[in-house]
Amino acid sequence: MKKVIVVGSGAGGATVAKELQGKFDVTILEAGKEFHPFSLKLPTLETLKKTGLLFDEREIQLFFPPMRIRKVEEMILVNGVGLGGTTTLCTGNALRMDEALKALGINLDDEFAEIYREIPITTEHQKRWRNTTRRLFEICQEMNLSPQPTPKMGNYVRCIHCGRCVLGCSHGVKWDSRQYLEIALAGGAQLVTGCRVERVVVKDGRVTGVQAKKGWVRKFYPADFVILTAGGLATPVILQNSGIACEQKLFVDPVLCVATQWNESQQYEEIPMPFVVQKEHFILSPYFDYLSFFFNRAWKYPARDILSLMIKLADANMGSISDNRIRKTLTAQDKERLNEGVELCKEILHRLGAKEESIFLGTINAGHPGGMLPLTEQEAESFHHSRLPENLYIADATLFPNSLGNPPILTIIAMAKRVSKILKNPFSPRKRVFGEGNPSSGI
Ligand SMILES: Cc1cc2nc3c(=O)[nH]c(=O)nc-3n(C[C@H](O)[C@H](O)[C@H](O)COP(=O)(O)OP(=O)(O)OC[C@H]3O[C@@H](n4cnc5c(N)ncnc54)[C@H](O)[C@@H]3O)c2cc1C
Ligand code: SF4
């Protein structure tokens, strides 16, 4: 059986591993380790905060290693490192967001239908919203903002609304990609953790495997096919280390929270992002921002007395990663759109009764990176960029043509399913994969 190496075990990686195991001999190389939810309780953290020792967002990694934090010019970037990738930190939002792919002529209806059969998706949580959430929802309705309860991945009948989704769900409610990973492993896939892939090794135009570091040891893992799913920040680094140039089109979906002091709102014990307002260039959603609460001095009130709305922006795809250094600034237009969001959030909070002087902002943070080797119409069938050796694929947000400004997991899974189908059926009309008329390079 041909060997496939999958790099990463997040949304994209776990999907291709599950889809390909059986037809291929799959090995998943994952830089991180087993994921465990953050265990410290809020009172302990509030005590720690009072000591003044929490001043840099990167400190969170000392307490919670699966959450990787990087600081770039104007914002912090967040991603997950460990089994399940960033899906273990997600708030469970499950939205289909493939308009830009449709515009390229890519129809993922079948893949989304599969996802809806495999992953439970529900708005059940709405029945147990806190009063403040209900009131915010009503205000958004009154303002004709068409708020929609957010579909969530998982079994939310058991959700206790602890509000800690981004710290990992200790109650087994939230779906994350480890569930697909388990299926792949049960089918015989191999998993190597603590294994950081540095580059793909290319010989005579074909990938022969990957070079990775496990602990201090550098090792070569041979493969017939390699699929990069290390996420929107790491996949471009692996490509560039391998001599494959990327586009300087990084987007990240920056998030800015607009908060107010609101006695006993207890939003930190509400499900995060219970509903969403879709605007042209951003979304709004209630969200208690732990990073701002711990590290931003403006967030000086007790957690139970803070109420916050998130703006998630579809930012310009202008940013780069080179020599492992990320460059990402907000354009004038990004800032203008964020300001528009801030004014709208303030209007909602004012209608609730918040005073202008009680409103404060959070720290800009972002966790949906992608776009550095975007699909174009030319790759709509093959999902394979001409810059890549014929047996190297990508199946993560690196392929997105532009920022979604919206939760990307479902769409990444759908793309990863399509890539898997292309590999499984190399001679289907969709193909153009292994070179027409060159079956010896196929499976
Ligand atoms: C706080 C937060 C909340 C979010 N909430 C939502 C949500 O509710 N809904 C939604 O749709 N999206 C959400 N997202 C975004 C979503 O989680 C990510 O966009 C998605 O998980 C990306 O999938 P991926 O497979 O591309 O990468 P990831 O899920 O990040 O997985 C990449 C994996 O590759 C591994 N890796 C990295 N480099 C290497 C290497 N060199 N070698 C080997 N392994 C490597 C990493 O350890 C990781 O396990 C959220 C993001 C954040 C930060
Ligand atoms: S609110 Fe708590 S129980 Fe519910 S999904 Fe999130 S972490 Fe799990």
Side-chain angles (χ1 to χ4, degrees), residues 7-13 29-32 78-87 89-94 153 166 195-198 229-232 234 238 287 367-368 396-397 407-410 412:
V7 181
S9 65
L29 303 182
E30 165 55 56
V78 187
N79 69 285
V81 178
L83 290 188
T86 315
T87 67
L89 309 179
C90 84
T91 54
N93 304 329
M153 301 173 268
V166 299
C195 181
R196 181 168 296 281
V197 172
E198 296 176 320
T229 58
I238 299 170
Y287 180 71
H368 300 177
D396 64 24
I409 289 176
L410 284 200
I412 293 172

Side-chain angles (χ1 to χ4, degrees), residues 156 159-165 168-171 173-174 271-272:
Y156 280 78
C159 173
I160 60 159
H161 286 228
C162 68
R164 292 172 65 101
C165 304
C169 179
S170 304
H171 305 276
V173 172
K174 204 179 65 172
I271 194 160

Side-chain angles (χ1 to χ4, degrees), residues 341-360:
V342 170
E343 291 310 313
L344 195 51
C345 289
K346 282 186 174 179
E347 170 71 22
I348 296 166
L349 294 175
H350 287 154
R351 284 182 183 226
L352 182 73
K355 302 218 164 34
E356 177 68 26
E357 59 274 17
S358 74
I359 291 177
F360 49 94

